[in-house]
Amino acid sequence: ARGGLRPGLDPVYGPDPQCRAGAEHHHRRAPAAAGFHHPQLAEAVEIPSVSGDASFRAEVYKMGAWLKNKIAEVGCDVSSHDLGMQTLDGQEVQLPPVIVGEYGRDPSKKTVLVYGHYDVQPALKSDGWGTEPFELVHDTPTDRLIGRGSTDDKGPIMGWINVLEAHKALGLDVPVNLKFCFEGMEESGSVGLDEFVVEHKDKLFQHIDAVCISDNYWLGTKKPCVTHGLRGVAYYKLTISGPAHDLHSGVFGGMMHEPMTDLVQIMSTLVSPQAKILIPGLYDQVAPLTDEERQVYEDMEFEVADVDQCTGSSTTVSDSKTDVLMGRMRYPSLSLHGIEGAFAEPGSKTVIPHKVTGKFSIRLVPDMDPAKVTDAVQKHIEAEFAKLKTKNTMHLEEDHPGKPWVADTKHWNYEAAIAATEAVYGVRPDLTREGGSIPITLTFADALNANVLLLPMGRSDDGAHSTNEKLDLSNYIKGTQLLGTYLYKVASAAAS
Ligand code: BES
Ligand code: ZN
């Protein structure tokens, strides 16, 4: 079949050996129209749908329109939903639409809601990419598909389209009703999506039996997992301003309170080099660790070396696998991201920046509440600022908070995902929690009153958000088989 899939042993599909034809070309660009089995993914990657940069907004709309067509082509009723306006980079811009696809309305079948995002992180070749980021390249020696969005999150979205395309090509009945909810703002905090889902809970999103989120990765590089938790995130911008414009440090150094000096002092009080958050009271909000829970991390198939492989270093704060896993999955973390307004170019400019904004975020876990966290952050920063005895001014701003989410894995939805993973990969997946955030997850669980899980396609070393982002071809093919197989397992699961 043109989508690169054909049926193997029902209900698991096998890859088409024909698809390997031509694969001997090293670093061959996967052309959008060639007989490769990933031409559609190539087309998707070629649209630079970067949601966080206003100058790319037209590309995000283009990607939404492209996806809408694709979903219609494979037999869905599809609608595009406007979410209103947003201020970005000082401009008023239209939010990208939510694309909703509906496949089947058979009341005797279960209905699965699938979520993915069609926007991507920014990427420039000069960041350190070996290939053009917005061209999908099939690196044949490693059998990897390289390009921005290959694993986060265009590959997984195309996996679903491949599943429907294969069913269509083969005249097979799809065993469940499907609803797709694909958004274009995930990488920028899912602005507007919560309200949209709540507004449509009794309309578009009525009668959802289970939710499958397609937007995460394996814990390591060898063993698949099924994910039942995500951290939330609260993002902060701390601005210190003083002089009306930048100053010469030779002329004004020693006479002035410098905004950078104040900012760096405060930022250094947020987190220790051992990754402990130093803001008073934050850990009091964290759910206590039980012995049973610790055992789960001890039993998880994972090594510190897996992290080292992904980071290309040996720089974990602990050598204990359990501590490393808990640091990512069940404890909060605080990361310092950058300083806007600071001198960051090459060279030795002797400037005193007049206004600087430090950016940091806190990943949240149960039972932390974003509002309480922000109170604690505000109090701490005010106290530290007062200690500086500076005449500069300080302003703290909070951006897109998202709550943490953990699901009950004793549910037929999880049984289906586990059984599908066993059928495709021949191993029982670990049940994991993730350190990243997908803001809409908790809203799906609460507003639709449905069980939610994450079924990953890619691996931990795919380099989401990084340079040379990739999806192993085997993960693309088997991941597509996994999604299809999951639907059959859902259909045959005894709903409880
Ligand atoms: N796909 C990720 C979420 C993710 C990250 C899942 C790590 C599993 C492991 C998603 O696209 C993402 O990056 N989300 C942002 C959300 C933020 C902007 C609110 C994140 O986690 O930083
Ligand atoms: Zn993602």
Side-chain angles (χ1 to χ4, degrees), residues 78-324:
V78 44
S79 49
S80 172
H81 302 265
D82 186 8
L83 295 182
M85 303 297 283
Q86 174 206 17
T87 314
L88 179 62
D89 305 334
Q91 297 172 45
E92 274 283 291
V93 288
Q94 183 97 34
L95 286 163
V98 180
I99 308 294
V100 175
E102 283 186 76
Y103 190 97
R105 283 187 192 146
D106 181 342
S108 69
K109 291 176 179 173
K110 292 197 189 81
T111 300
V112 177
L113 173 65
V114 167
Y115 165 89
H117 62 90
Y118 63 82
D119 62 319
V120 292
Q121 285 280 318
L124 292 173
K125 181 134 198 262
S126 59
D127 293 340
W129 285 73
T131 59
E132 285 299 331
F134 295 106
E135 261 174 31
L136 189 73
V137 169
H138 181 192
D139 181 67
T140 52
T142 55
D143 229 1
R144 290 171 165 181
L145 303 173
I146 302 167
R148 175 58 89 223
S150 55
T151 194
D152 186 13
D153 186 32
K154 291 176 174 174
I157 287 185
M158 294 318 295
W160 286 105
I161 290 171
N162 293 339
V163 167
L164 284 186
E165 196 176 57
H167 279 77
K168 187 177 170 199
L170 298 157
L172 291 173
D173 182 48
V174 176
V176 299
N177 303 315
L178 280 172
K179 279 228 169 121
F180 293 120
C181 175
F182 293 142
E183 70 156 317
M185 274 298 282
E186 196 275 344
E187 300 292 4
S188 304
S190 298
V191 180
L193 188 61
D194 266 329
E195 295 79 2
F196 175 77
V197 169
V198 170
E199 186 194 327
H200 282 276
K201 72 188 169 72
D202 299 319
K203 298 183 240 170
L204 275 174
F205 302 124
Q206 206 186 10
H207 303 311
I208 299 295
D209 294 295
V211 182
C212 179
I213 294 198
S214 263
D215 185 22
N216 70 314
Y217 331 99
W218 294 353
L219 184 56
T221 55
K222 291 173 206 83
K223 191 179 176 190
C225 61
V226 176
T227 299
H228 66 103
L230 288 165
R231 295 196 288 190
V233 65
Y235 202 104
Y236 299 97
K237 297 174 184 174
L238 173 62
T239 300
I240 310 275
S241 24
H245 44 77
D246 287 0
L247 299 172
H248 189 302
S249 68
V251 180
F252 295 96
M255 299 162 61
M256 315 288 299
H257 290 292
E258 297 194 11
M260 268 292 263
T261 309
D262 293 347
L263 181 68
V264 170
Q265 294 275 344
I266 297 181
M267 286 181 90
S268 74
T269 69
L270 298 173
V271 62
S272 83
Q274 267 54 51
K276 285 280 162 291
I277 301 176
L278 303 174
I279 299 167
L282 271 206
Y283 288 104
D284 300 347
Q285 298 185 36
V286 176
L289 176 71
T290 62
D291 289 344
E292 194 191 347
E293 198 193 344
R294 169 173 267 278
Q295 196 59 47
V296 171
Y297 296 108
E298 274 169 10
D299 294 344
M300 227 171 252
E301 213 171 288
F302 184 79
E303 286 172 36
V304 175
D306 293 329
V307 182
D308 293 349
Q309 200 209 327
C310 294
T311 65
S313 70
S314 311
T315 51
T316 54
V317 289
S318 165
D319 294 327
S320 143
K321 151 197 145 179
T322 308
D323 288 348
V324 164

Side-chain angles (χ1 to χ4, degrees), residues 387-457:
K387 284 188 202 164
L388 301 178
K389 303 204 185 331
T390 172
K391 291 183 190 157
N392 290 326
T393 55
M394 183 268 289
H395 174 72
L396 181 71
E397 193 188 321
E398 188 195 16
D399 219 16
H400 57 65
K403 290 183 180 167
W405 159 80
V406 179
D408 181 7
T409 59
K410 292 183 190 70
H411 189 278
W412 54 262
N413 194 25
Y414 279 85
E415 281 165 25
I418 292 167
T421 307
E422 280 178 326
V424 172
Y425 287 101
V427 291
R428 192 174 170 84
D430 278 326
L431 290 173
T432 59
R433 282 165 61 176
E434 259 308 345
S437 311
I438 304 170
I440 199 62
T441 316
L442 187 67
T443 310
F444 281 143
D446 289 352
L448 308 183
N449 194 20
N451 182 271
V452 181
L453 60 76
L454 276 75
L455 192 55
M457 174 176 270

